Amino acid sequence: MSTLLPEEGSSVLMTGGPDEVMRPVNRYRLGPLYVTLPLANIALYLLWLGVGSFLLPIQVAQITGTNDTGALSTASTTGAILATVGNPIFGQLSDRTRSRFGRRAPWILLCAGMGALALIGQAHANSIAMLGLSWGVVQFIMNGYQAALTACMPDRVPQSKYGTFSALVGLGVPLGTIVAALVIGGVPGSKFGLDGVIGGFGGRFAGEKGYYLIAACVVVAALIFTVVSPDASARDLPRQKFDLRAFLSNFWVNPKEHPDFIWAFLSRLGVMLGYFVVLTYNMYLLADYIKIPPQDLLPTVGFLMIVNAVCTIAAVILIGPLVDRVGRMKPFVLASGIGAALALTIPMISPTEGGMVAYNVAGGVAFGVYMAVDMALITKVLPATADAGKDMGLINIANAGPQILAPTVAGWIVSAAGYEALFPVAAAVSLAGAVLVLRVRGVR
């Protein structure tokens, strides 16, 4: 295969392998993508973090009448397998799509609309079983949105811009966190010398209306992305006859032929799981381990999430362009893992609100360093650009999977050894994930 990607302003995709599915020959305008790609990711992570860190634990507490970690774990686990396989399934479906609107755009729009409807259904769940089932459906559908969206980077972005666009994509997590924290949780005004709570809106969005708001944001972001930065027509691409056996076998990536892909997958899995094990249990951890009073809980969660997100953004903005200049990625991943492990020791030494602030500052910086290089590294180890949607979908399991499974893993840890055990386990997992990047040979 030969691929020509101009360095500035646009990208032209040309392929010539007789045995491969060809990619669209089209000139993309990179300019709009600088805005629309991070915006679409912000909406996605507003969903993952707004529901996972706020609405889901609140709904569990409303259903059970207590901070039931077992019920939260059950609600999070139900449908997790279904959700995780959604990424590669929808990714491969987008690879095979032939439409005048391109391969990715139809799935971004379809999954955004269906995901919004599923979120509205989840808002009315009145049992742990129904909550778990509806959350599993939301996760499955929105992993389709994520698979098609992330495939846009290898489709359209020249390699010389991988660091910059990796940083832009990485902004989705902290900015989604800030929006969720301000709108759903609010921030104590006293932290800034003010009275009352900044945001929060009196708890108006800490329930059904929160689901409605997130659903609307996802649909609007999908529309903006597909209209402002349209995909290339795929009608002239060769069409493949559907074969179920071939479709299923295509999910297998041979580790002997593509070891870098496998090591990058495992590295991302460890780093993300270590981060989200603590983040998704923030509310219960602050209530039962740090002993934050109930009336201060939501604003405190919101404040700490914003502290973490602001530090992440600062690191992403600094490191992303630096990666393009130095042309090296693995040292940044290793540094992020060491930083995350050190940050996680702070709440162990100082189980106070101040200790949690310090942890979120240090942990936010470490996570930002990682997010600045994550997508760039992943894009460089894809086995085949013709299957970018499927391959990005597979490797996105290492991103979406930890967010889905973190409450379950955290629940097991808390049940076995208490909240204080979360931090050393998360530190060990994050560090192990970062160290595994050293096994990726094709990236410096």
Side-chain angles (χ1 to χ4, degrees):
M1 171 178 288
S2 62
T3 302
L4 174 63
L5 291 170
E7 296 300 305
E8 303 292 342
S10 63
S11 57
V12 179
L13 307 181
M14 302 174 63
T15 62
D19 299 324
E20 298 185 39
V21 178
M22 296 181 68
R23 300 165 68 188
V25 179
N26 187 77
R27 183 172 293 274
Y28 288 106
R29 291 176 56 226
L30 271 186
L33 211 60
Y34 282 96
V35 176
T36 59
L37 190 57
L39 182 64
N41 273 281
I42 290 168
L44 178 66
Y45 284 97
L46 171 61
L47 187 158
W48 293 142
L49 296 164
V51 175
S53 296
F54 284 100
L55 299 181
L56 194 65
I58 289 170
Q59 207 166 358
V60 167
Q62 289 172 343
I63 292 171
T64 63
T66 182
N67 292 340
D68 191 332
T69 58
L72 178 60
S73 177
T74 300
S76 301
T77 304
T78 305
I81 295 176
L82 181 67
T84 302
V85 301
N87 237 302
I89 288 176
F90 281 107
Q92 187 169 180
L93 287 173
S94 73
D95 286 336
R96 300 173 62 93
T97 296
R98 304 290 180 263
S99 80
R100 65 183 293 263
F101 302 106
R103 296 183 294 172
R104 316 302 178 193
W107 293 102
I108 291 172
L109 288 172
L110 178 64
C111 290
M114 293 177 62
L117 292 175
L119 277 170
I120 293 170
Q122 183 175 339
H124 298 279
N126 55 14
S127 69
I128 296 300
M130 182 59 68
L131 184 60
L133 178 61
S134 59
W135 184 219
V137 171
V138 170
Q139 292 165 4
F140 176 74
I141 295 170
M142 291 308 298
N143 270 276
Y145 172 100
Q146 185 170 22
L149 187 65
T150 53
C152 292
M153 183 165 163
D155 280 356
R156 307 190 194 188
V157 177
Q159 289 196 24
S160 63
K161 298 293 183 183
Y162 276 3
T164 298
F165 273 89
S166 179
L168 288 172
V169 171
L171 287 175
V173 176
L175 290 177
T177 299
I178 289 174
V179 175
L182 279 174
V183 173
I184 302 174
V187 179
S190 59
K191 303 292 184 183
F192 306 98
L194 302 172
D195 295 328
V197 175
I198 302 172
F201 303 98
R204 185 177 304 166
F205 296 105
E208 285 184 21
K209 291 182 179 178
Y211 281 108
Y212 302 155
L213 179 64
I214 292 173
C217 289
V218 167
V219 171
V220 170
L223 286 169
I224 291 174
F225 182 86
T226 53
V227 172
V228 177
S229 51
D231 201 353
S233 172
R235 286 186 300 180
D236 295 333
L237 294 180
R239 297 178 183 272
Q240 293 177 299
K241 184 179 180 181
F242 182 79
D243 183 294
L244 181 61
R245 183 176 180 181
F247 182 84
L248 295 175
S249 66
N250 200 33
F251 291 120
W252 168 251
V253 175
N254 191 320
K256 291 185 177 180
E257 295 178 5
H258 305 287
D260 282 357
F261 182 83
I262 303 301
W263 288 118
F265 176 95
L266 294 173
S267 176
R268 177 191 263 195
L269 184 70
V271 172
M272 289 297 196
L273 184 58
Y275 179 75
F276 282 104
V277 157
V278 174
L279 182 65
T280 56
Y281 246 49
N282 239 356
M283 188 175 297
Y284 290 176
L285 189 152
L286 289 169
D288 298 332
Y289 178 63
I290 307 297
K291 307 298 184 184
I292 301 297
Q295 67 272 16
D296 297 331
L297 186 58
L298 273 179
T300 302
V301 172
F303 171 70
L304 291 175
M305 289 179 71
I306 288 176
V307 168
N308 186 290
V310 168
C311 293
T312 299
I313 291 169
V316 165
I317 292 173
L318 176 65
I319 299 299
L322 183 60
V323 171
D324 286 334
R325 289 196 193 114
V326 302
R328 300 179 70 87
M329 299 179 192
K330 290 196 288 190
F332 295 103
V333 175
L334 194 60
S336 74
I338 295 171
L342 292 174
L344 284 159
T345 64
I346 297 173
M348 298 165 54
I349 299 169
S350 177
T352 63
E353 185 176 346
M356 289 299 292
V357 171
Y359 154 68
N360 277 278
V361 170
V365 170
F367 189 65
V369 171
Y370 180 77
M371 292 305 293
V373 299
D374 172 50
M375 279 293 293
L377 187 149
I378 294 304
T379 304
K380 281 183 173 289
V381 300
L382 294 182
T385 53
D387 293 327
K390 180 267 294 182
D391 291 334
M392 290 300 287
L394 282 172
I395 212 154
N396 277 342
I397 292 174
N399 188 24
Q403 296 172 59
I404 294 163
L405 297 176
T408 302
V409 174
W412 293 339
I413 296 169
V414 172
S415 296
Y419 284 100
E420 59 272 17
L422 282 176
F423 301 105
V425 172
V429 172
S430 293
L431 186 58
V435 169
L436 286 177
V437 80
L438 297 176
R439 302 297 301 271
V440 179
R441 303 300 184 191
V443 177
R444 292 193 297 162

